[in-house]
Amino acid sequence: MGKLIEKLHQVGQGAGGSFGFFGRGQAASSPARPAAVLVTLAATDVSGAEAAAKAGADAIVIAGWKPNADISNVKSALESAHTLWGVEYSGGAEEDVAAKAREAGAGFLLLGEEAQAAPLYDQVEQFDRVVTLSAPVSEMDLLLYRMANALPAQAALITLPIGMRDLPKQSIRDFSRLALLASSLRFPLLAVVDETPNQRAARALVRLGFDGIVLSGVGASAAQVTQQVQSLRADLEKIPLSEGQEREGVSLGGLISNLGAGLQPERREPEKDPDHE
């Protein structure tokens, strides 16, 4: 189990779920929430990183990362705050991307939609790879979307095809289609949102089965990042954990208990011939 999956599980455990990696950070004393709060930031945004960490973001994604890039200032700010961070890689000709991301200190690697699949197969143990998926708009798209389960990824990220202001207003038919996004995957799903969701939208995201909500802090001021994170955390803390556990898709607890099980089909014993019983 990598640090991102560990963190997602820890968020749902609250004060009783400290795993030790985060030291004496804020997460160790926070109440349980049905979804984690992540923030995407530029590699040079030290003030944004400090603000997000202080406000209680569960993880930071450094956008536009390349192997051997200088991210020392942001890295220092996040590690001083005991905040988990990972890097977004959009693709290129580099080799051993996952290994280099881990060597840089990242806790996970987010692969952009156009990134090569090779980093998924890099032999890096206890290091989470997150794939970026497109929201399906047709039956064939949905089939291809479900095929992502065959990838050796530990989580997935998707940009929602609807804005947060309209999400709570969805019809039953449209809401059901959105519910397929999380229930179709075997691993946790993170949702990229167009703006900070209010409490109604946050509750809808939880009921849809998303395990994490990703806010964009790129281009935002430190004060704006602080407001986004604090507002979303406060709303999520008001939502019962049971609302995020009612879906029939992947249970995060079940995922962790079955790590290593892989996608191998269940072996069936051959049927006995009645004449030889």
Side-chain angles (χ1 to χ4, degrees), residues 9-28:
H9 184 59
Q10 179 187 358
V11 166
Q13 297 296 313
S18 176
F19 281 75
F21 167 73
F22 301 94
R24 292 183 293 273
Q26 182 177 356

Side-chain angles (χ1 to χ4, degrees), residues 64-88:
W65 173 83
K66 293 284 187 180
N68 303 318
D70 183 8
I71 56 173
S72 56
N73 291 335
V74 168
K75 173 182 175 180
S76 177
L78 294 173
E79 292 184 349
S80 295
H82 304 288
T83 300
L84 174 64
W85 61 276
V87 293
E88 176 194 30

Side-chain angles (χ1 to χ4, degrees), residues 5 7-10 12 188 211 247 250-257:
I5 299 301
K7 185 60 175 177
L8 294 177
H9 184 59
Q10 179 187 358
D211 300 285
R247 64 186 174 99
V250 175
S251 163
L252 189 56
L255 170 73
I256 291 177
S257 65

